[in-house]
Amino acid sequence: MPANVGAVKVNNVSSSAVFNIGDVFSINPVSSAKTYTGGGSFNTGNGTRVQISNSYNYVYDKDIIDQETK
């Protein structure tokens, strides 16, 4: 069934956003990122204890591109 849409005002659409008006079957936004962090960087919670004597981040990537994003 067709959608009847009235006036629409768009102030901003970010680079990773999806904007749709009307009928749609599927919307599949795609993005990718590579993050380098040290040991214990993404720990969350109450009373978390992390003891790391030495933490090294090796950021050398010989093939440069990991996987193509379509």
Side-chain angles (χ1 to χ4, degrees), residues 12-30:
N12 187 17
V13 176
S14 69
S15 61
S16 62
V18 174
F19 179 74
N20 179 63
I21 296 178
D23 297 335
V24 65
F25 175 74
S26 177
I27 297 177
N28 299 316
V30 176

Side-chain angles (χ1 to χ4, degrees), residues 43 45-52:
N43 291 332
N46 296 328
T48 302
R49 293 185 191 187
V50 179
Q51 293 180 339
I52 300 173

